[in-house]
Amino acid sequence: MNKFSTFALTSVVAMTASLSAAQAEKLTLYCSAQEDWCQLMARSFEDATGIDVNMTRKSSGETFAQIKAESANPKGDVWWGGTGDPHLQAAEENLTATYMSPMRDQLHDWAISQAEGADNKTIGIYSGALGYGYNTELLAANNLPEPSCWKDLLKPEYKGHVQMANPNSSGTAYTTLASMVQLFGEDEGFEFMKGLHANINQYTKSGSAPIKAAGRGENTIGIVFMHDAVKQAVSGFPVKVVAPCEGTGYEIGSMSIIEGARNMEEAQKFYDWALSPEAQNLALQVNAFQVPSNKGSETSPSAPDMSTIKLIDYDFKKYGSSDERKRLLQKWDEDVSTLPQ
């Protein structure tokens, strides 16, 4: 009996230790960047640390909705990538946790500004300008003029040739909506969105889907972040990238630790690692052409030169706030999406 008890006790201790070790080596990652970049980040972190990563890729709006729905019983640990506005809204609603990374002194000012505007519940990991791209072959085949401005996209000849994501699900599309309001004023900005709606052939879930469709020849013009259009061009598709003449908004792609994360220590390890030059340089392997937040990271020569693009003074605090985001989305739902096409 004593031998059996000793064996049983030893087995329980070993099993408990094994379970504890397994629990200590897991991370649930919600990723809102492009799929191949998400996969590379997850696998590279596993290789660097031995921590097992369970990664789910969804658009920024979808991920925000999931984190909010799970807030009473959080399933995720870290939210990496996607536009900053929903990260800021998550911070305002206390869905994400305050964390001061020791990597902060290596980051560009805009990355720290993003953090400070959210009580350090998020941080900037990359930036990128909004614009659009078009399939040069389809444009020529349909005898369409080359667009160079936002308001060019309202011309009747582009009817059925423009695609963008739905701002409810996509951070890219919400940035588009907020940019037009800031660029033209709210009344004229919504008139622009109404005019654009008349030419839209489809509102996609994902922000990058419209330019991928253009690359494949399924769509002519895609409103996206310019780096997503560059990716298609560099991959060999007949896509031309446009920085609109009137000026444009931009994103600060962000990262946040989820409040109540089950694997907080591992989440903080990922957060610090993801801010390192080594992790940020992985973007080059998957043709992700955003500008990284670590000053020591490499930026691809193919990446859009932010210094040559006419950028608006995007008000991240206002348009990333919960009330303003909800208000604009509701107004878009009621005043724009219901219009005939």
Side-chain angles (χ1 to χ4, degrees):
M1 180 66 72
N2 286 340
K3 287 183 179 179
F4 175 77
S5 298
T6 302
F7 174 77
L9 180 61
T10 302
S11 297
V12 169
V13 170
M15 185 180 297
T16 302
S18 176
L19 286 171
S20 297
Q23 289 173 350
E25 295 178 352
K26 288 184 178 178
L27 178 80
T28 298
L29 174 66
Y30 293 165
C31 189
S32 296
Q34 62 197 50
E35 176 72 30
D36 52 359
W37 196 4
C38 292
Q39 292 287 356
L40 183 60
M41 288 292 289
R43 304 293 80 84
S44 297
F45 181 66
E46 286 181 331
D47 292 343
T49 64
I51 296 170
D52 183 45
V53 179
N54 177 25
M55 190 277 289
T56 301
R57 194 275 164 198
K58 289 184 178 178
S59 67
S60 302
E62 290 176 302
T63 302
F64 170 79
Q66 181 176 353
I67 292 171
K68 187 167 185 174
E70 295 173 351
S71 59
N73 183 23
K75 305 289 197 301
D77 299 313
V78 178
W79 178 13
W80 184 87
T83 54
D85 293 327
H87 281 269
L88 292 172
Q89 185 178 353
E92 184 184 348
E93 297 187 18
N94 296 314
L95 299 173
T96 48
T98 297
Y99 180 58
M100 300 284 284
S101 172
M103 301 295 293
R104 287 166 69 100
D105 63 350
Q106 297 185 26
L107 306 183
H108 288 289
D109 290 344
W110 49 262
I112 300 301
S113 176
Q114 183 79 343
E116 291 174 344
D119 296 325
N120 298 301
K121 293 179 181 177
T122 192
I123 200 159
I125 53 174
Y126 57 75
S127 65
L130 186 71
Y132 56 87
Y134 59 84
N135 184 305
T136 56
E137 294 176 358
L138 281 179
L139 204 77
N142 287 283
N143 198 29
L144 296 171
E146 293 188 7
S148 58
C149 303
W150 284 118
K151 291 192 174 180
D152 286 344
L153 302 185
L154 305 185
K155 294 177 179 177
E157 52 262 48
Y158 292 119
K159 184 174 180 62
H161 287 283
V162 185
Q163 196 172 104
M164 66 173 280
N166 187 309
N168 289 287
S169 65
S170 161
T172 304
Y174 175 75
T175 301
T176 304
L177 173 59
S179 294
M180 297 308 110
V181 168
Q182 293 173 80
L183 186 61
F184 300 126
E186 182 157 333
D187 289 344
E188 189 179 344
F190 267 89
E191 286 304 310
F192 173 87
M193 297 306 296
K194 291 175 184 178
L196 183 66
H197 176 80
N199 287 346
I200 294 287
N201 58 51
Q202 181 186 355
Y203 289 108
T204 62
K205 264 191 180 182
S206 164
S208 60
I211 200 63
K212 291 178 181 176
R216 293 191 300 266
E218 300 166 359
N219 171 55
T220 309
I221 302 168
I223 298 175
V224 290
F225 285 112
M226 290 170 61
H227 49 252
D228 289 325
V230 171
K231 181 179 173 71
Q232 295 300 306
V234 169
S235 299
F237 296 104
V239 168
K240 184 171 180 179
V241 187
V242 178
C245 71
E246 301 98 334
T248 191
Y250 65 102
E251 69 166 333
I252 296 178
S254 299
M255 170 173 60
S256 309
I257 294 176
I258 297 168
E259 180 65 40
R262 298 177 182 182
N263 303 294
M264 183 59 74
E265 185 178 339
E266 289 75 16
Q268 292 176 355
K269 285 181 181 178
F270 180 89
Y271 196 103
D272 296 340
W273 174 81
L275 294 175
S276 70
E278 294 77 19
Q280 295 194 358
N281 287 345
L282 293 171
L284 301 177
Q285 296 184 27
V286 290
N287 285 344
F289 297 110
Q290 291 90 330
V291 176
S293 64
N294 191 301
K295 297 174 185 176
S297 301
E298 297 177 36
T299 300
S300 169
S302 298
D305 184 350
M306 299 284 277
S307 67
T308 65
I309 300 167
K310 186 179 178 182
L311 298 174
I312 64 172
D313 185 15
Y314 195 102
D315 190 339
F316 291 98
K317 191 167 184 63
K318 178 178 179 179
Y319 292 96
S321 71
S322 180
D323 287 346
E324 186 68 4
R325 190 166 182 271
K326 287 176 182 175
R327 186 185 72 83
L328 286 182
L329 289 174
Q330 183 177 353
K331 188 170 182 178
W332 185 86
D333 284 340
E334 293 174 354
D335 296 355
V336 179
S337 69
T338 56
L339 293 173
Q341 287 178 293

